[in-house]
Amino acid sequence: MDRKIQKSLYDILQCIEEVESYFDSLPRRFDYYCNNALLRSAIHMNISIIGEATNRILKIDPTIAISNAKQIVGTRNYLFMVTIA
């Protein structure tokens, strides 16, 4: 496997683990997420990194099987637009 793809997959895994770790000591409730700006920002950053890493992978090998890849990249793009609006 291409080293750049491996690096991107590692980035995705790290971000997923980081987001999961936020909820080790916090409630998993949407209202808590909405009312906690720090948590929201941290999750948005990780989703952006996941979307960017997915996009990099698809540019290197568009045939690689990533479930919902376009939606992942689209979510990153949406969060970017919401952040600057």
Side-chain angles (χ1 to χ4, degrees):
M1 182 180 290
D2 183 279
R3 284 180 72 67
K4 290 180 181 178
I5 291 175
Q6 285 180 329
K7 168 72 169 98
S8 293
L9 289 171
Y10 179 78
D11 290 345
I12 291 169
L13 179 62
Q14 290 299 112
C15 287
I16 291 168
E17 289 175 349
E18 189 169 319
V19 169
E20 287 178 341
S21 76
Y22 299 153
F23 296 100
D24 289 344
S25 61
L26 300 174
R28 288 182 182 246
R29 293 190 350 234
F30 187 67
D31 63 320
Y32 190 80
Y33 162 83
C34 289
N35 294 318
N36 187 322
L38 184 62
L39 177 63
R40 237 182 9 259
S41 293
I43 290 174
H44 287 198
M45 178 56 73
N46 279 287
I47 290 171
S48 294
I49 293 168
I50 291 168
E52 181 58 32
T54 301
N55 197 41
R56 282 194 309 260
I57 292 168
L58 294 175
K59 285 182 179 179
I60 295 168
D61 183 0
T63 64
I64 197 160
I66 300 176
S67 299
N68 303 311
K70 289 185 180 186
Q71 290 87 350
I72 293 168
V73 175
T75 300
R76 181 229 24 203
N77 295 340
Y78 174 79
L79 287 175
F80 177 74
M81 294 306 292
V82 169
T83 304
I84 63 170

